[in-house]
Each structure stands twice: as structure tokens, then as C-alpha cells.
Amino acid sequence: MAYYLGLDSSTQGLCALLIDAAGGKVVLEAAVNFGKDLPEYECPQGFLAHPDPLVKHSDPLLWAAALDLLLGRLRDQGAPLAEVAGISGSGQQHGTVYLGAEFATALDGADSLVEAVRPCLTRLTSPIWMDSSTSAECAEIEAACGGAEAVRRRTGSSAIERFAGPQIRKFAKAEPEDYADTGIIHLVSSYLCSLLIGGSAPIDFGDGAGMNLLDLASGQWDGPLLEATAPGLGKKLPPPVPSHRVVGEVAPYFQAKYGLAKGTRVVAWSGDNPNSLIGVGGWRPGTAVISLGTSDTFFAAMPQPVVDPDGYGHVFGNPAGGFMCLIAFKNGSLAREAVKEQFGLSWKAFDVDSFAATPAGNNGNLMLPYFVPEITPLVLREGPRYRGDQDFLAGKTPAARVRALVEAQAMSMRLHSQWIGEKPGTVRVTGGAAKSDGICQVLADVFDATVERLETGSSAALGAALRAAHGVGGFAWADLAATFCACVPGKSIRPLPAHVAVYRELLPRFAQFAREG
Ligand code: XUL
């Protein structure tokens, strides 16, 4: 029997999912929570405390410790590790790890991953995707490379605070000696992949595109951007490779300690969003994915790397080939919870009753739900804005406020995803709020697309396991998606033509309000 293992190192933990690809079954799952299981690293929510709220770093040793702990748990649970044929993984995007050149052989003869990595670190902490402290560096990089649009055209994104390039520049400027001592800079994904193969692993196109350094057209590091970012950077980055590439075999360390078989192949790791695209079955254009979480995200496979003229969306490599877009909205569950709390509503009152009590289009009552500063569109002055009748403005109609919020979230996603060119025929919705029929009906009507719902809780880990099965076992994407990413039967929601017409008319008015907002 050949099993495939997917690992997912997210902001707050590391989890594993083992599949039997031929049998079409998830065999087992296991997880480590950074705060609960490894409190000594002082990252209860996945990052270290820092007096500047814009700075968010984590401890790269924590991620190494978690890998040892998780594999130990799998072994102790009796997971058939000796029968694993292939492994791949997922890492939170954009985080960087700074190491000396000796990292490539650090695992030889080591007793633990932490002890192997510790002497190699040239920077003790790793900036992660939540860091937004590099606005100056973004401006410098854009100025040196012909402006935001030029950077966008080449890399798929404007220079973005959390992306690896601006973060590397900040380090090179602030600590030039430590930067000079740095022989290899890894992403979280390629760092953990390196540990598994006992060498320095390449960076895949999926995660590499989140660095402001990869030329999307050629799949190579972009010379002028490397130069604008930091001195000698080209020599410190691992080579970029397609995401399906087998990059090595598990190191003897993992054979001796956890019983993985010699010859177990490792497929390049990728970022959590590219992995999730695969894990929810969105590998080919036509199906978009909306993940309703703390932040909401919209992502979809794209045949061509078109870029967002407004600069909010990102283009990453699609692990199944081609490209994917990703658009993130900060006011997701955060805003839904704020409205629920404001009116003391139960989830039933929010999710069900509010939609029954109000019509599609909400009698023209509109909201811009900026409970926290928004990134898409960029709105720094927080606080929701309202437009509508007296009772609505006075907050006397809680159901209308709920509908206004959900319609605003859906219309904003529709407006800010139009640049990808293709209107999806199907939208797959995941995350906590996907259980609400009311929210899903609004999404179906605003997008004029069938909404399908998925049960997968760990889409990134599943995506990684499916990528291992594809890259090592040769399983076809269509077969893997049909088996592992089927939508929940009887839970799909079709658009209602009368509602579709209402939103078609409302959308320009909402767009105008958002522009004035
Ligand atoms: C995407 C992003 C996050 C991280 C962490 O650009 O910053 O989704 O990948 O999940």
C-alpha cells in the first residue's frame, strides 16, 4: 500500500494528513498547536510579542520543533510511516528564514531538528505574513523598478509589506553584517522541505510568487528586482522550480527516528493558498473559491497571469500548472461577529432569520463594513459607513444591518475579482460561515453562480497530500479532485434569477458608495 503525507505549517500550528490515494481515503490526521504544545517558544498565537504592532515575527526553531513533535506523534499513533511513498507540504506564505551556508548539511548526525538548525541561524527571528512594517522598503523597491505597475506586471503583485522581498530589504538595511553572513534565505515552505530532505530545497512557483522577486513570465528570479531589494541577493536564494517537482528523498534522520522508508520522495513544498486551491478542488479555471474565515479570501485558478490594475489582488503559481489569483479582505468573520455582538444576535438570528426578514437588495440600504482598516480596497480609517433609510441609519433594523453587511462583502468580492476576466460558473465556499444558507444564497445571487459547499477543514494539508500523490504517484488532478474534494451532496445553492437582476442593478451603486466611502 502506498500512502501520501501532507504537512501544513500554518500561523498557529502544524498538522498532518495521510491519504490512501488509490483507495480514495483520508487515513489519519494529527496536529501540533504552537501555543499549547510548544509554549517555551513564546508564540501563543504563532508570533512573538513586540512593542511595535506593525512588527510580527516568529521563531524558526518553533517550526523545526513542531516537525519533530508531529512526526513523533504520528509514529506513536501507529501511522504506517514506512509505507509512505511521497510527502509534500504547505507553509504560511511570505515568512522568511535566514541561514548560514552550512545549513545545507546541518542535519548530518543531528539528534534533533532544533539542535541542527540553531547554530545555522543568521537571524534569530522570522518576519511572517502578519508583519506590515516595511512600507518604506516597498516604496524604495517600486521607485527603483519603474513604479508599482511595473512591479505588478513582472511579479503579479505591487510591492507588499508582508512579502519576502521588502522584508529582506529591511533586514539588509538594518543589520547589514548579519545579512552579509546569510548564505541562504528560505521561505517557511522551502525551509521545512529542506529539513525533510536534509539539504537546501528549491522554492516553488506557488510560494515564490509571493516574494516580489519572481518574474512570472520566465519563472526565474527577476534581476532588477533582486538588485533593488538587497546586495548579492541572487546568490542567497534557492532556485525556483515548478511545484510538482520531486526535490529529494527523506533524510536518514527521519528514517532512523520515525521509520520513514529510505527512498521516500519529497515534492517541493508550496504556500498555504496554492495548496488550498488544490485541496478544495479548484485546480482548474472555472471554479472560484471563497474562504470565509477571520479574513475572507477569494482565489481561483487562472490560465494567464493577468494582474489587478488596482493593485489589490495577487497572482501566484498554481501547483497544477498556470496561475492563481488571491484577493484578501480583512473584514470577514471579524465584521460578521461585530454586527452579531452589536445587536446581541444568536447565530440563528444572524444566519437564518435576518435573511428571511429582508429582501435581496435590502431596499437599497447599504453598508461599507470597515470594522478594522481594510486592505481590499485600501481603507485606513476604520469604522463602518451606512447609506439608506432613517431606521437603517439609526440602527433600528438589525436584520437589515446583517443583510447589508453580507451583501457588501459579496459585492466587494465580485467587484475586486473582476480583473481576473473570467466569471466563475461555480463558487466553492469553505470556512465557518459557509454553513449559513443565507450567506451562501447572497453569494450565489451576487456572483450569478452555483455555490457548492465543502467539508474539508484542512484544505492546505489535503492539498499537500494530493500534490505528493500527483508528483510521486502520478495520480491525475481530475481523479484526485473527484475523490477527495467532492462537495457536500444536497447542499449546493443555485442563483435565483430575480435576485441576480437586483444585484446587477445594485452593483454600480455599491461601487460608487465604496469609491466615495
Ligand atoms: C496571503 C497571506 C496569507 C498567508 C497566511 O497573501 O498573506 O493568506 O499565506 O495564511
Side-chain angles (χ1 to χ4, degrees):
M1 176 89 68
Y3 296 106
Y4 297 92
L5 180 62
L7 298 166
D8 171 31
S9 182
S10 67
T11 313
Q12 305 204 23
L14 176 70
C15 72
L17 192 139
L18 189 68
I19 61 167
D20 165 5
K25 282 195 303 276
V26 173
V27 177
L28 63 84
E29 292 186 58
V32 163
N33 178 281
F34 296 153
K36 209 167 86 233
D37 296 319
L38 294 161
E40 62 275 31
Y41 291 92
E42 298 181 345
C43 294
Q45 266 105 35
F47 52 87
L48 296 154
H50 196 283
D52 181 348
L54 297 181
V55 173
K56 293 276 185 290
H57 285 208
S58 189
D59 185 342
L61 295 178
L62 163 65
W63 301 326
L67 185 55
D68 258 335
L69 185 59
L70 183 68
L71 288 170
R73 283 187 181 171
L74 285 171
R75 176 197 57 205
D76 299 344
Q77 260 176 259
L81 292 177
E83 294 168 66
V84 171
I87 305 179
S88 191
S90 163
Q92 54 170 309
Q93 289 200 255
H94 316 301
T96 36
V97 185
Y98 300 77
L99 302 142
E102 68 279 14
F103 173 65
T105 52
L107 208 52
D108 300 353
D111 287 333
S112 81
L113 296 177
V114 167
E115 290 322 314
V117 175
R118 194 192 301 277
C120 303
L121 290 175
T122 54
R123 189 185 196 183
L124 296 181
T125 63
S126 288
I128 63 165
W129 67 279
M130 298 170 85
D131 189 290
S132 35
S133 67
T134 64
S135 297
E137 288 74 18
C138 290
E140 288 159 3
I141 291 169
E142 288 185 344
C145 289
E149 217 218 304
V151 174
R152 235 172 10 242
R153 245 186 296 109
R154 280 168 25 205
T155 72
S157 303
S158 315
I160 303 285
E161 280 77 355
R162 66 187 188 281
F163 278 34
Q167 292 290 344
I168 293 170
R169 178 166 179 79
K170 184 179 172 197
F171 176 55
K173 276 166 57 186
E175 295 161 66
E177 283 165 20
D178 292 343
Y179 174 74
D181 285 347
T182 301
I184 311 172
I185 301 175
H186 274 292
L187 291 176
V188 178
S189 59
S190 61
Y191 163 66
L192 289 168
C193 183
S194 299
L195 292 180
L196 265 187
I197 63 172
S200 184
I203 286 180
D204 87 301
F205 292 164
D207 215 6
M211 298 177 79
N212 280 143
L213 291 171
L214 190 76
D215 174 34
L216 286 183
S218 67
Q220 298 300 317
W221 298 127
D222 180 301
L225 271 158
L226 289 175
E227 213 164 288
T229 299
L233 181 55
K235 293 203 180 69
K236 298 178 198 281
L237 292 177
V241 296
S243 316
H244 64 262
R245 180 76 57 82
V246 172
V247 295
E249 296 182 352
V250 284
Y253 174 91
F254 297 97
Q255 300 164 26
K257 205 162 174 179
Y258 303 112
L260 283 156
K262 186 169 166 20
T264 303
R265 291 197 278 169
V266 178
V267 171
W269 284 42
S270 189
D272 57 342
N273 294 298
N275 275 292
S276 287
L277 183 77
I278 302 297
V280 298
W283 62 284
R284 65 180 153 192
T287 299
V289 184
I290 291 175
S291 165
L292 301 171
T294 312
S295 306
D296 291 342
T297 53
F298 176 102
F299 50 95
M302 294 194 301
Q304 296 302 327
V306 284
V307 292
D308 180 0
D310 295 329
Y312 299 125
H314 309 302
V315 180
F316 301 138
N318 171 356
F323 301 87
M324 67 177 284
C325 65
L326 173 97
I327 311 151
F329 302 82
K330 268 219 171 139
N331 285 280
S333 294
L334 226 78
R336 290 185 282 276
E337 268 156 37
V339 172
K340 176 177 166 279
E341 301 280 288
Q342 194 180 352
F343 296 104
L345 302 174
S346 65
W347 277 121
K348 180 181 168 291
F350 186 100
D351 281 353
V352 183
D353 304 348
S354 300
F355 296 96
T358 51
N362 210 22
N363 299 314
N365 291 311
L366 295 173
M367 176 196 286
L368 297 174
Y370 306 142
F371 289 87
V372 293
E374 183 51 72
I375 50 175
T376 308
L378 185 66
V379 178
L380 298 175
R381 185 172 60 85
E382 68 182 33
R385 285 77 149 155
Y386 304 98
R387 194 169 274 185
D389 61 45
Q390 287 306 321
D391 283 352
F392 178 72
L393 296 178
K396 289 186 185 160
T397 46
R401 286 288 183 93
V402 171
R403 182 178 274 279
L405 163 69
V406 170
E407 290 184 343
Q409 290 175 322
M411 287 193 283
S412 195
M413 284 192 197
R414 179 76 202 272
L415 283 174
H416 289 288
S417 59
Q418 272 168 347
W419 60 272
I420 71 171
E422 281 199 31
K423 197 188 81 58
T426 308
V427 176
R428 294 198 149 188
V429 182
T430 66
K435 66 180 184 317
S436 162
D437 288 350
I439 293 177
C440 288
Q441 186 68 58
V442 170
L443 287 168
D445 296 338
V446 168
F447 277 88
D448 188 12
T450 301
V451 161
E452 295 179 346
R453 288 184 267 188
L454 294 169
E455 252 156 28
T456 27
S458 350
S459 58
L462 176 60
L466 299 181
R467 293 199 310 106
H470 172 82
V472 172
F475 288 86
W477 292 121
D479 295 339
L480 290 170
T483 314
F484 287 96
C485 317
C487 59
V488 185
K491 283 284 191 181
S492 294
I493 294 193
R494 288 187 184 288
L496 299 169
H499 293 188
V500 172
V502 169
Y503 292 119
R504 196 175 297 132
E505 216 164 282
L506 195 57
L507 206 61
R509 278 186 43 216
F510 175 78
Q512 178 68 23
F513 181 29
R515 270 193 301 277
E516 292 162 6

